[in-house]
């Protein structure tokens, strides 16, 4: 494995998550799904799905005006092509209180680009 720094790993994660956030904030479900691998395991606050169609359907069901603000809590470079991220995410809405969740993601390099291959939300009280 190549030597990498925590900054490199965080930059990879931010590169994918900033695109995810822009698509979530813009209520663009197909663009959200495009940030995931074809075989991504996705676990939002509903039953899980596998693949981009499930991701798109999940985000299509979210209300217009929902926005995501994330903060990276931990990162690990598992291999040259795989990054683990653990985040705190605030989903804000126009008509209800902000929802804070914890999000675990695995980001995988496919060719020259990085995509989310695993996404799991936890709601901690």
């Amino acid at each position: 494995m190549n030597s990498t720094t925590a900054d490199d790993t965080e930059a990879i994660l931010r590169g994918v998550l900033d695109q995810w956030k822009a698509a979530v904030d813009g209520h663009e479900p197909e663009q959200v799904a495009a940030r995931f691998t074809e075989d991504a395991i996705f676990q939002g606050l509903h039953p899980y799905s596998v693949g981009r169609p499930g991701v798109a359907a999940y985000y299509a069901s979210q209300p217009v005006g929902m926005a995501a603000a994330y903060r990276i809590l931990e990162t690990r470079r598992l291999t040259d092509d795989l990054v683990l991220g653990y985040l705190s995410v605030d989903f804000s809405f126009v008509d209800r209180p902000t929802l804070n969740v914890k999000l675990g993601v695995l980001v995988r390099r496919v060719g020259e680009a990085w995509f989310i291959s695993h996404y799991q939300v936890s709601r901690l009280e």
Side-chain angles (χ1 to χ4, degrees), residues 1-6 8-9 12 75-84 109 114:
M1 186 163 72
N2 296 335
S3 68
T4 58
T5 67
D8 295 335
T9 301
I12 290 165
T75 64
R76 301 289 185 274
R77 186 74 176 257
L78 303 176
T79 69
D80 284 347
D81 297 330
L82 193 61
V83 171
L84 169 69
R109 182 173 25 213
W114 291 86

Side-chain angles (χ1 to χ4, degrees), residues 47-109:
Y48 85 97
S49 64
V50 176
R52 289 178 177 163
V55 175
Y58 180 86
Y59 281 102
S61 75
Q62 299 304 313
V64 173
M66 181 181 82
Y70 73 87
R71 184 168 49 96
I72 296 173
L73 301 175
E74 297 288 337
T75 64
R76 301 289 185 274
R77 186 74 176 257
L78 303 176
T79 69
D80 284 347
D81 297 330
L82 193 61
V83 171
L84 169 69
Y86 183 66
L87 313 126
S88 178
V89 182
D90 288 327
F91 287 102
S92 60
F93 304 88
V94 295
D95 61 349
R96 59 183 148 167
T98 297
L99 175 66
N100 176 264
V101 298
K102 298 303 183 259
L103 173 61
V105 293
L106 283 174
V107 176
R108 183 170 39 133
R109 182 173 25 213

Side-chain angles (χ1 to χ4, degrees), residues 33-41 51-52 108 110 115-118:
R35 302 312 338 132
F36 288 76
T37 60
E38 295 282 350
D39 64 346
I41 299 169
R52 289 178 177 163
R108 183 170 39 133
V110 179
F115 298 91
I116 300 167
S117 66
H118 182 261

